[in-house]
Amino acid sequence: MTAPSFRAPVVDVEGLRARVEAALPALRTDLEDLVRIPSVSAAAFDRAHLDASAARVADLLRGAGFDDVEVLSVDVPAGPGSEGAVDGVVRGAPAVVARRPAPDGAPTVLLYAHHDVQPPGDPALWDSPAFEPVERAGRLYGRGAADDKAGIAVHLAALRALGDDLPVGVTVFVEGEEEIGSPTFEAFLAAHRDRLAADVIVVADSTNWRVGEPALTSSLRGLVDGVVEVRTLDHAIHSGMYGGAVVDAMTATLRLLAGLWDENGDVAVPGLVSGGADDLGYSDDALRADAGVLDGVALVGTGSLETRLWTRPAITVTGIDAPSVATASNTLLPAVRAKFTMRIAPGQDPAQAFAALEKHLLAAAPWGAHVTVTLGEAGHPWAGDLGNDVYDTARWALEQAWGRAPVHMGVGGSIPFIAALGEVYPDATVLVTGVEDPDTRAHGTNESLHLAEFARACVAETLLLAALGAR
């Protein structure tokens, strides 16, 4: 929590809270307008919606008093497996950058969010259309209502509430490709390094511990994904004539993949880093409810839930190329491909993690099957520097907004660009704040934003900017 030497900033808390409350109705309308734009960044979707979303965000920032607003993108050479590449080039998605200079002696704060969203998935699984915002029981439903168009709206709330009294310099950076792994992010940073430079970076793209319980994200796992291919034959053959003596690729693949975990469900790959985490009292029952685990299905792994979810490796098989049940024949398959996603703990280098996984899979190839492992995306983990005065100020702002002190929580997901920000701006303090809660269902159907939590997040960021200017 805050250091004993921390002194609360001289800020008109109640006055700013009232300003935010007055701004909320118009802000809600603007957020709903953003949700209606289906700004999916995946290559299979219409880029025109991304362009429309970026243009709308730029207009909103101009309306918040920013004269210097640009929509920018950077193209990069395509790498192996790059999606959406044309003529060997990956075209960067539109990002919005708005700048307002700092008063003399004041710090500059970079406010980050992203305007792209995940694909909606099966429309039949949504209780209301994915891109038509609907309020039910105090929650606003719609794709991007939380992840991360609410992050954009939180930034707008603070800027509108402070208005001409904004005591710090602000650069707003709203990215357009976070949901596809930010493929041009590092090139964008290199091209616009000076434009995005800041003393404090606020990333509004995480979660709170519970409804009514704020959090600062203290760590994020990194990401390594790729494809493992298993081959046993040079062509498909009759399962009745050869089964029992000849191994098929599917059987070999299942045997190989099963060896990624031990009998407890812990990852069984040597050479991967594990760490510890604060015990926040996360119970098995709470996790089962949050995740929707079916009755009778056990939780896996050993150690506290906090460490299992935040600071230890996890491997998931997310797809297998194989015939469907409906189209399968009595055939021994010659080759099978499986896609894996591995989350890695803070302190783990992604290249070393991939090398450890590849070594393990090659050594475990069953019955002499031919195994190849191809790297896809790799992203670094991150851990925050919780002991400095910027974090003290953030904790103070969250406590004022929620009426209780925040917890420090890790997040098992990955935001690889945060580590990149830390490398490019090593003297900046990065804060990862939350607009979500455990029932948000980001990336899933029926994604939603808890409106009361959203209002508190708006107050907290307003107080944070005011307090940073008063330091």
Side-chain angles (χ1 to χ4, degrees):
M1 291 296 100
T2 54
S5 60
F6 176 74
R7 291 192 295 177
V10 179
V11 171
D12 181 7
V13 173
E14 294 311 314
L16 290 175
R17 192 191 309 274
R19 288 193 190 185
V20 172
E21 290 175 356
L24 284 174
L27 194 69
R28 164 81 176 270
T29 298
D30 291 331
L31 174 57
E32 292 184 358
D33 287 345
L34 285 174
V35 171
R36 290 187 180 97
I37 303 172
S39 51
V40 180
S41 51
F45 291 77
D46 187 353
R47 183 189 166 100
H49 296 305
L50 272 181
D51 294 330
S53 180
R56 178 61 181 149
V57 171
D59 286 343
L60 290 170
L61 288 167
R62 293 185 186 100
F66 283 73
D67 296 325
D68 182 0
V69 181
E70 299 174 281
V71 177
L72 303 168
S73 63
V74 173
D75 297 342
V76 298
S82 296
E83 293 189 9
V86 177
D87 296 329
V89 172
V90 174
R91 183 184 174 200
V96 183
V97 178
R99 301 169 65 203
R100 189 164 162 180
D104 289 344
T108 294
V109 181
L110 176 67
L111 302 177
Y112 171 93
H114 62 86
H115 68 93
D116 66 316
V117 299
Q118 283 282 324
D122 185 353
L125 298 179
W126 285 80
D127 293 338
S128 51
F131 295 107
E132 182 52 48
V134 175
E135 181 180 349
R136 294 191 297 272
R139 304 187 73 98
L140 183 66
Y141 287 81
R143 173 61 84 228
D147 184 19
D148 184 35
K149 291 177 178 179
I152 302 169
V154 166
H155 297 330
L156 286 169
L159 297 170
R160 290 175 180 177
L162 290 165
D164 292 338
D165 298 326
L166 183 65
V168 295
V170 168
T171 299
V172 183
F173 175 30
V174 181
E175 189 194 359
E177 57 184 33
E178 193 275 344
E179 297 293 9
I180 54 171
S182 304
T184 71
F185 187 88
E186 293 191 23
F188 192 98
L189 280 185
H192 303 293
R193 179 179 183 136
D194 293 341
R195 186 181 269 110
L196 299 176
D199 303 290
V200 178
I201 300 170
V202 180
V203 178
D205 191 21
S206 191
T207 186
N208 288 298
W209 179 234
R210 293 278 173 208
V211 170
E213 297 185 51
L216 277 172
T217 297
S218 56
S219 66
L220 295 158
R221 288 193 291 196
L223 171 70
V224 174
D225 70 18
V227 173
V228 54
E229 182 177 78
V230 179
R231 288 188 170 272
T232 59
L233 300 163
D234 63 13
H235 64 280
I237 54 178
H238 195 295
S239 62
M241 296 177 64
Y242 296 100
V246 176
V247 65
D248 62 288
M250 178 62 79
T251 300
T253 299
L254 297 176
R255 183 80 171 245
L256 176 66
L257 295 178
L260 292 172
W261 306 273
D262 65 19
E263 64 276 8
N264 296 314
D266 289 313
V267 171
V269 178
L272 299 180
V273 170
S274 292
D278 290 347
D279 183 357
L280 300 182
Y282 201 14
S283 69
D284 287 6
D285 288 345
L287 174 57
R288 296 178 73 88
D290 289 344
V293 179
L294 298 179
D295 290 344
V297 177
L299 300 179
V300 297
T302 56
S304 73
L305 290 179
E306 289 87 347
T307 58
R308 277 183 264 173
L309 295 171
W310 303 339
T311 60
R312 288 186 180 179
I315 299 176
T316 305
V317 177
T318 58
I320 297 179
D321 285 341
S324 69
V325 170
T327 62
S329 62
N330 291 325
T331 303
L332 300 183
L333 296 176
V336 169
R337 300 170 73 243
K339 183 171 183 178
F340 63 84
T341 294
M342 179 167 61
R343 305 291 174 163
I344 59 175
Q348 176 85 71
D349 177 74
Q352 292 176 349
F354 175 75
L357 178 63
E358 182 181 38
K359 180 179 179 181
H360 177 82
L361 289 170
L362 294 179
W367 304 299
H370 296 188
V371 174
T372 57
V373 188
T374 304
L375 176 65
E377 181 184 352
H380 286 269
W382 170 83
D385 177 12
L386 306 180
N388 66 36
D389 58 348
V390 173
Y391 269 86
D392 284 339
T393 304
R395 286 186 280 262
W396 170 86
L398 289 166
E399 185 168 2
Q400 299 305 307
W402 264 266
R404 62 187 301 166
V407 301
H408 295 152
M409 64 175 289
V411 171
S414 307
I415 312 179
F417 70 79
I418 292 181
L421 284 171
E423 291 178 4
V424 175
Y425 307 113
D427 296 327
T429 297
V430 179
L431 297 170
V432 182
T433 60
V435 292
E436 301 174 18
D437 67 86
D439 201 33
T440 289
R441 305 187 187 186
H443 293 202
T445 54
N446 296 314
E447 176 184 346
S448 68
L449 173 71
H450 191 286
L451 290 168
E453 291 293 273
F454 169 66
R456 295 183 187 108
C458 292
V459 171
E461 185 162 302
T462 302
L463 296 178
L464 172 65
L465 295 183
L468 290 174
R471 288 194 310 162

